[in-house]
Amino acid sequence: MRSLLLVAALAASAHANVWDRATDNTSQATRDRYESALHDGDELAARANAKVNTAGTINALVDEAIAQYKIAAAARPNDGEPYFRIASVLESFYTDCNGISLNGLRPPATCKGNTVDPVRTQQAVDAWESFETRAPLDPRVGDSLFSRAILRTKLVESAKDPKPLLEGARKDYTALLDHADGLTMLQL
């Protein structure tokens, strides 16, 4: 299930910003490098989902996927898509460690008990922030706000000073409610 959700999320997000594409003034070589790096990152993330992988193999494949997404980010520094994918991959592999087995699925091999990897979780929070900064009007920002708030609360346990994390989660939840109110108002 986790692998299907990750692959679906990455595939669905491939062409999220139509206006940026329409007004794109970058060279064809830069666009090709960008698309190739995103594709390669997606392929590596999909390979990391194989059930036969050990935690070490998963870590290596995820690191390679993130490196490819960073190449894409360097090619188009104002685009949020690479950061969306970085956050999605990190969240999928390192923060869903609740130990609950649904439909026979087990937590990722990268989880140690019911705890999250604080370094990887902070990297996911940072990637969600980079995504929102670069693509504030992207419709996926609402989901990213929710994910970021949850990740911040998961980091509280390992934090020396949890107050900034809790304040950040509060801000994310408030922004999420503001987004929801705006969407509700538009539908009236």
Side-chain angles (χ1 to χ4, degrees):
M1 179 71 155
R2 173 178 51 95
S3 62
L4 291 176
L5 292 175
L6 174 65
V7 172
L10 295 176
S13 65
H15 300 290
N17 198 334
V18 174
W19 295 114
D20 281 350
R21 264 196 346 268
T23 60
D24 188 4
N25 292 328
T26 57
S27 71
Q28 185 62 44
T30 299
R31 284 193 303 269
D32 290 347
R33 186 171 60 248
Y34 174 82
E35 291 294 332
S36 176
L38 288 179
H39 178 268
D40 291 348
D42 292 348
E43 291 290 321
L44 289 160
R47 284 181 42 208
N49 271 311
K51 286 186 176 185
V52 297
N53 287 335
T54 64
T57 301
I58 293 170
N59 288 332
L61 289 168
V62 168
D63 287 341
E64 289 178 48
I66 290 170
Q68 288 300 311
Y69 295 140
K70 287 181 179 180
I71 290 170
R76 297 183 67 172
N78 295 326
D79 196 340
E81 188 62 30
Y83 297 98
F84 177 87
R85 294 182 190 203
I86 289 169
S88 296
V89 168
L90 288 168
E91 189 172 4
S92 176
F93 285 99
Y94 299 101
T95 65
D96 190 14
C97 298
N98 58 14
I100 298 172
S101 176
L102 300 173
N103 299 327
L105 295 176
R106 57 187 168 79
T110 52
C111 292
K112 293 176 177 60
N114 291 340
T115 61
V116 297
D117 180 330
V119 172
R120 296 285 193 162
T121 303
Q122 184 60 54
Q123 290 172 344
V125 168
D126 295 343
W128 283 130
E129 288 175 356
S130 294
F131 166 64
E132 182 186 11
T133 299
R134 287 167 175 81
L137 299 178
D138 190 301
R140 300 170 294 172
V141 167
D143 292 337
S144 73
L145 289 167
F146 182 73
S147 292
R148 192 170 65 199
I150 295 294
L151 294 177
R152 283 182 168 148
T153 58
K154 287 182 176 188
L155 284 170
V156 165
E157 188 176 315
S158 63
K160 291 181 183 178
D161 181 14
K163 187 174 180 178
L165 292 167
L166 294 171
E167 287 173 353
R170 181 187 54 78
K171 287 179 185 176
D172 290 339
Y173 286 127
T174 300
L176 181 61
L177 291 172
D178 290 343
H179 278 260
D181 285 346
L183 291 175
T184 303
M185 300 281 285
L186 290 174
Q187 293 176 356
L188 292 177

